[in-house]
Amino acid sequence: MPEEQKETEVVRLAHGSGGEAMGRLIRELILPRFDNPLLHALGDSAVFELPPGARLAFTTDSYVVDPVFFPGGDIGYLAVCGTVNDLAMAGARPLYLSAGLIVEEGLPMTDLERVLDSMARAAGLAGVQIVAGDTKVVARGAADKIFINTAGVGLVREGVSLGPERCRAGDAVLVSGPVGSHGIAVMAARQDFGLETGLTSDVAPLAGQVQALLEACPGVRVMRDPTRGGLAGVLTEIAAAAGLGVELREAAVPGKEAVRGACEILGFDPLFIANEGVFAAVVPAADSEIAVGALKQAGAAEAAWIGRLSGEDPGTVSVETVVGGRRIVVPLGDELLPRIC
Amino acid sequence: MPEEQKETEVVRLAHGSGGEAMGRLIRELILPRFDNPLLHALGDSAVFELPPGARLAFTTDSYVVDPVFFPGGDIGYLAVCGTVNDLAMAGARPLYLSAGLIVEEGLPMTDLERVLDSMARAAGLAGVQIVAGDTKVVARGAADKIFINTAGVGLVREGVSLGPERCRAGDAVLVSGPVGSHGIAVMAARQDFGLETGLTSDVAPLAGQVQALLEACPGVRVMRDPTRGGLAGVLTEIAAAAGLGVELREAAVPGKEAVRGACEILGFDPLFIANEGVFAAVVPAADSEIAVGALKQAGAAEAAWIGRLSGEDPGTVSVETVVGGRRIVVPLGDELLPRIC
């Protein structure tokens, strides 16, 4: 391949310089994929109107997943789904996203295009528009391929009021699908683990399932998506904020055989493995069946009741042991799984 | 210093793991500096109400400035001011910011604290709250010390309507202060340039000056803050979007002697150097004096009329030459100044 042609096929520092090369990158790679009137204006901010009395949800996450491409997704798909899901957890209909890219000089342009394609596909699926963006390029070795930050705004559905403080002893704890697929799929994709699981990440936008749940069961207390720290992590946070204990029936927690197998080999607990396409919800006990039914109808085939809140051991998550006792799940203390999101 | 003590004084991978160490970082370093009811909830999204009929501005930028600490500011101060200023350029009163940190393992904890202190100070000065955040830690060598993304939302002032399409031939072009200080101060702080200028960055929140300008001169056509690409960059963008030419009187553009001197040594044009505390505005010719006066009263002592829009050479910026002719300013084509923001 001639040297000249090669040069045009990687991201160069000039693509972040604010000059002509950056202008071309925006016009040729970014706008065609995300075009919408708000983004097209290319001003310093996107400006939009909101319905009267709107309550807005606002959130952000940076994505540094390694590898950038993994079975079932990539950093672009993840960056859109993750922020859409954080909005959905607040009971909001996701509306607009911003995207901030930090790219390492030398990234193949085809990799950048693949990532942008995935962002566009995820945004389309989730019904959001990317209306503001920023691209920085840093020299080789100053970042690892590509990092993406997304921030998002969404409209909180009327009448919806969520928060751990609304939880009561006796409430049911649900999860919308099998846990641990994302974390294990990403780890398996790393050469240094040498695992072959056949697993794919569960990364997906959750706004549809959340909407179905809220319509069937307006009394939902709180929802959280168990990314870093896994299901045990978010349930511990809910327990602490609610001043209640979470009692899990471990056998009821859905999980794939391949995840369980990999966790046994690596010495992990699936309850701590990151997810990107399932969420946990607390609902009044009486709504438990309706809620699980609504989730299943919305495509969450393995949604399940997995436990309940209690007044005992506030701030902790416990699981039944095989001999009928309970064991408290101890929060993560140290680096377990860096760069899974 | 004992080994154990040393270990607690740098950011470790565990601080981004979603476990106990991350919880402590958030409780001990982040919340005390930024505490507000929205952030304190620590949910997946911050939720807030907006006045009826509100028009919202939404923007994002990632900051990768090198070095992290430079004369006149640091990456934290810059990350808050930069996004506040992008909102101000849309005619919005900045309300809420999100912050996404990507930290390299091994960053001294005192550096992180300094950066967080600067973010809090800038937020206080700009009257915004940081209501959503995210921290990722990557292994040594996978990022360069710290990158920060901020996204922001603001309320567009009633009756304000801005955009390059509102520009007319004959309009006046203003700038709020001397150009080039940020870019040159950052470059001079890099060891590899070996420049001693005594310059400090101009980084500052601009919302106050913008408010004063809009109150004195509601007919403002468009405002832009000339960061990457400098004053020439944003004026070229305005010219292209307006289908007009920008005719600058180069001698009228305010600039510090040290900036001019450094530019001569390095072969740069101050018109292309990044700024973080000045902005350009286009106003109807008849409002030019009122506008400059309002800016001066609001603290922009060197605000100045620097040129006008014309129907000639649409899409270009030209400057007067000493012999009375005009020379077209050619946009940046290649990497000039990476990582100045």
Side-chain angles (χ1 to χ4, degrees):
Chain A
M1 197 182 295
E3 194 59 31
E4 210 178 344
Q5 189 180 341
K6 256 193 200 156
E7 273 207 356
T8 64
E9 290 179 338
V10 300
V11 177
R12 291 173 293 119
L13 287 174
H15 288 113
S17 68
E20 183 49 30
M22 191 168 105
R24 267 205 317 277
L25 183 85
I26 292 172
R27 283 194 310 275
E28 293 171 12
L29 256 66
I30 312 244
L31 283 184
R33 284 175 173 84
F34 302 111
D35 207 11
N36 58 66
L38 288 171
L39 183 63
H40 198 84
L42 286 182
D44 285 313
S45 300
V47 173
F48 46 86
E49 284 189 46
L50 291 168
R55 276 182 306 154
L56 210 72
F58 179 36
T59 189
T60 192
D61 260 324
S62 293
Y63 298 85
V64 298
V65 65
D66 171 36
V68 167
F69 301 98
F70 50 83
D74 61 38
I75 194 169
Y77 201 78
L78 179 62
V80 170
C81 291
T83 291
V84 160
N85 292 349
D86 280 344
L87 293 171
M89 293 304 107
R93 186 164 63 84
L95 290 179
Y96 301 118
L97 257 53
S98 67
L101 273 56
I102 298 174
V103 184
E104 184 187 12
E105 176 191 23
L107 183 78
M109 203 55 94
T110 48
D111 282 3
L112 179 59
E113 293 184 57
R114 258 179 87 185
V115 168
L116 294 172
D117 281 338
S118 296
M119 294 183 77
R121 204 170 59 248
L125 215 59
V128 294
Q129 293 186 319
I130 295 173
V131 297
D134 174 55
T135 303
K136 294 288 192 302
V137 181
V138 298
R140 261 171 236 270
D144 190 6
K145 298 179 196 76
I146 181 167
F147 301 146
I148 302 179
N149 176 282
T150 48
V153 295
L155 276 184
V156 181
R157 284 162 221 282
E158 255 183 88
V160 168
S161 173
L162 300 165
E165 70 286 355
R166 303 183 65 250
C167 293
R168 298 288 173 265
D171 283 352
V173 181
L174 316 178
V175 70
S176 69
V179 303
S181 305
H182 176 75
I184 296 294
V186 169
M187 277 192 289
R190 279 193 206 151
Q191 292 179 324
D192 47 351
F193 273 95
L195 265 183
E196 293 229 9
T197 63
L199 267 177
T200 55
S201 165
D202 60 351
V203 58
L206 293 169
Q209 291 173 15
V210 166
Q211 182 172 354
L213 175 64
L214 288 171
E215 278 169 12
C217 178
V220 174
R221 312 287 202 198
V222 67
M223 297 181 289
R224 296 295 298 273
D225 66 328
T227 56
R228 273 183 294 181
L231 187 62
V234 293
L235 293 180
T236 302
E237 284 174 28
I238 290 176
L244 296 167
V246 174
E247 296 183 350
L248 286 190
R249 249 193 71 216
E250 200 165 17
V253 179
K256 292 186 177 141
E257 202 40 61
V259 171
R260 268 190 280 265
C263 280
E264 259 174 44
I265 293 168
L266 298 169
F268 293 146
D269 181 340
L271 289 179
F272 287 107
I273 306 293
N275 310 275
E276 293 290 348
V278 302
F279 66 105
V282 177
V283 303
D287 294 349
S288 172
E289 264 182 66
I290 291 170
V292 171
L295 284 170
K296 288 190 183 212
Q297 271 217 314
E302 297 184 60
W305 174 93
I306 57 168
R308 61 182 211 100
L309 298 187
S310 89
E312 285 170 52
D313 297 319
T316 70
V317 176
S318 61
V319 294
E320 269 177 4
T321 62
V322 279
V323 293
R326 300 205 73 81
R327 151 179 82 78
I328 291 200
V329 174
V330 179
L332 283 187
D334 219 331
E335 60 264 42
L336 176 56
L337 311 166
R339 298 186 61 187
I340 41 71
C341 60
Chain B
M1 198 183 295
E3 194 58 32
E4 210 179 344
Q5 189 181 339
K6 259 194 199 156
E7 274 210 352
T8 64
E9 290 179 338
V10 300
V11 176
R12 290 173 294 117
L13 287 175
H15 288 112
S17 68
E20 182 51 30
M22 193 168 103
R24 268 204 318 277
L25 183 85
I26 292 171
R27 282 194 310 275
E28 293 171 13
L29 254 66
I30 312 247
L31 284 184
R33 285 177 172 81
F34 302 111
D35 208 9
N36 59 65
L38 289 172
L39 183 63
H40 199 83
L42 287 182
D44 285 312
S45 299
V47 173
F48 46 86
E49 284 187 46
L50 292 167
R55 276 183 306 155
L56 210 71
F58 179 37
T59 189
T60 193
D61 261 323
S62 293
Y63 298 86
V64 299
V65 64
D66 172 36
V68 167
F69 302 98
F70 50 82
D74 60 39
I75 194 170
Y77 202 78
L78 179 62
V80 170
C81 291
T83 291
V84 160
N85 292 349
D86 280 343
L87 293 171
M89 292 305 106
R93 186 164 61 86
L95 291 179
Y96 300 119
L97 257 53
S98 67
L101 274 56
I102 298 174
V103 184
E104 184 188 13
E105 176 192 23
L107 183 78
M109 202 56 93
T110 48
D111 282 2
L112 179 58
E113 293 184 58
R114 258 179 87 186
V115 167
L116 294 171
D117 281 339
S118 296
M119 294 182 78
R121 202 169 63 249
L125 215 57
V128 293
Q129 293 186 320
I130 295 173
V131 298
D134 174 56
T135 304
K136 294 288 190 302
V137 181
V138 298
R140 261 172 237 270
D144 189 7
K145 299 180 196 73
I146 182 168
F147 301 146
I148 302 180
N149 175 283
T150 49
V153 294
L155 276 182
V156 181
R157 285 162 221 282
E158 257 182 88
V160 168
S161 172
L162 300 165
E165 70 284 356
R166 303 183 65 251
C167 293
R168 298 288 172 266
D171 283 350
V173 180
L174 315 179
V175 69
S176 68
V179 303
S181 304
H182 176 74
I184 297 294
V186 169
M187 276 192 289
R190 278 193 207 151
Q191 292 177 325
D192 46 351
F193 273 95
L195 263 185
E196 293 228 9
T197 62
L199 266 178
T200 56
S201 164
D202 60 351
V203 57
L206 293 169
Q209 290 173 15
V210 167
Q211 181 171 355
L213 175 63
L214 288 171
E215 279 168 11
C217 178
V220 174
R221 312 286 203 198
V222 65
M223 299 181 288
R224 296 295 299 272
D225 65 329
T227 57
R228 272 183 295 182
L231 187 62
V234 295
L235 292 181
T236 302
E237 283 173 29
I238 289 175
L244 295 167
V246 174
E247 297 183 348
L248 285 190
R249 249 193 70 216
E250 200 165 18
V253 178
K256 292 186 176 141
E257 203 38 64
V259 170
R260 269 190 279 266
C263 280
E264 259 174 45
I265 292 167
L266 298 169
F268 293 146
D269 181 339
L271 289 179
F272 287 106
I273 305 292
N275 310 275
E276 294 289 348
V278 302
F279 66 104
V282 177
V283 304
D287 294 350
S288 171
E289 263 183 67
I290 292 170
V292 170
L295 284 170
K296 289 190 183 216
Q297 270 216 314
E302 297 184 61
W305 175 94
I306 57 169
R308 60 180 213 101
L309 298 187
S310 89
E312 284 170 53
D313 296 319
T316 68
V317 176
S318 60
V319 294
E320 269 178 4
T321 61
V322 278
V323 291
R326 301 205 72 80
R327 150 179 82 79
I328 293 205
V329 174
V330 178
L332 283 187
D334 219 331
E335 60 264 40
L336 177 56
L337 312 165
R339 297 185 64 185
I340 40 71
C341 61

